[in-house]
Amino acid sequence: LIDIPMDVQRHSLAESVLILARLRTKFIGRVMPIEGTTPTVTAVITGDLVWKCLRVMPRNAATCIDGWTRDLLLQAIECRPAIGDAVGVLCTWINDGKFNTKAMDMLRMGRLVGIPKKEGGIRPIVVSSFFTKLLGAALLNRSGVKCSHHQFAIGVRNGASRIVHLTRNAFDENQMVIRIDLSNAFNVAQRARIRDILHDHDPDVLRYFATMYEPSSDLAVFGPHGDVSF
């Protein structure tokens, strides 16, 4: 589940209702179904791959409703290595949607956090289930998918600092720096278009996209005094 930060929780109930209303405007309703032929069987994810992905996951990443963290699972695997293989099988089953509707809805559910902007708006941050994040990392790692070389901050340490240094170097070489801010860019991206792009790539990654995005998913928002809204 996703909670509103402590400084926001101190707001009055009326302010919390306003924050929730602003968050709702950030999520665009589905205008067309995401359809197509999707592979149904995922190659089994190994314990070695689970371990490899866990080692590079952020140590202080925010938790979702499941409460699992990188360090908790690493400690479990260190005590009993077979747990890594079991988690790999679990992730494989998640990708193939082998669990019942209620379980899959719980895995897809996000924890929504409203971060106040200095200019007065709200920045929506969704924290996904630990196991779906681990699954996605494993599939991307195994498929060899790489970011564009223009994407400076994903998959590297101190990504924000790297952006600053690379930008400064480019400016010193007489290149121009242009800042473009796309409002709510990810939430307005057409999922059907993303699916089309993935169609000719790794089938397990396409299966992951279909599992996570073809059905609608719930977002849970924690407010003050234990209030929860979906």
Side-chain angles (χ1 to χ4, degrees):
L1 298 175
I2 299 177
D3 54 328
I4 296 176
M6 291 302 297
D7 59 331
V8 181
Q9 290 187 28
R10 287 192 284 267
H11 288 306
S12 67
L13 180 60
E15 290 172 319
S16 298
V17 170
L18 178 60
I19 290 171
L20 185 59
R22 289 176 176 174
L23 282 170
R24 290 185 185 281
T25 66
K26 296 292 185 178
F27 295 89
I28 311 303
R30 179 167 288 173
V31 295
M32 60 183 295
I34 307 174
E35 298 174 341
T37 303
T38 304
T40 56
V41 179
T42 303
V44 176
I45 296 170
T46 65
D48 288 342
L49 181 56
V50 169
W51 178 264
K52 181 179 179 181
C53 292
L54 285 172
R55 297 285 294 187
V56 298
M57 288 180 75
R59 179 168 231 161
N60 298 316
T63 55
C64 195
I65 59 174
D66 49 37
W68 274 92
T69 67
R70 160 198 184 268
D71 286 350
L72 281 175
L73 190 51
L74 279 175
Q75 290 170 13
I77 295 174
E78 286 175 353
C79 291
R80 184 168 294 183
I83 290 176
D85 293 312
V87 170
V89 173
L90 172 66
C91 288
T92 304
W93 289 348
I94 292 173
N95 206 48
D96 288 342
K98 288 188 176 294
F99 300 102
N100 63 29
T101 300
K102 185 175 182 179
M104 294 304 298
D105 286 345
M106 290 172 65
L107 287 164
R108 276 189 289 263
M109 181 181 288
R111 173 175 164 243
L112 178 60
V113 182
I115 306 296
K117 293 183 178 180
K118 292 181 179 180
E119 57 271 24
I122 293 291
R123 184 182 305 281
I125 304 296
V126 175
V127 186
S128 300
S129 160
F130 173 83
F131 293 103
T132 60
K133 286 193 290 188
L134 177 60
L135 166 61
L139 294 177
L140 288 176
N141 183 287
R142 189 169 67 184
S143 68
V145 172
K146 302 293 184 183
C147 288
S148 163
H149 68 279
H150 295 297
Q151 175 55 264
F152 298 137
I154 292 181
V156 296
R157 291 190 176 188
N158 301 318
S161 297
R162 185 168 182 260
I163 290 175
V164 172
H165 293 305
L166 290 173
T167 303
R168 182 182 292 123
N169 291 342
F171 187 76
D172 290 342
E173 294 173 358
N174 295 322
Q175 296 188 42
M176 183 181 295
V177 178
I178 301 176
R179 178 181 182 274
I180 300 174
D181 185 9
L182 302 179
S183 177
N184 203 23
F186 184 76
N187 286 333
V188 298
Q190 292 186 352
R191 301 303 192 263
R193 173 61 179 154
I194 297 174
R195 193 193 191 289
D196 290 342
I197 294 172
L198 289 173
H199 190 270
D200 296 328
H201 291 275
D202 186 89
D204 290 345
V205 175
L206 178 58
R207 174 73 257 174
Y208 179 80
F209 181 85
T211 297
M212 296 303 297
Y213 286 105
E214 284 186 5
S216 296
S217 57
D218 291 328
L219 299 175
V221 183
F222 286 150
H225 315 300
D227 294 333
V228 182
S229 179
F230 294 92

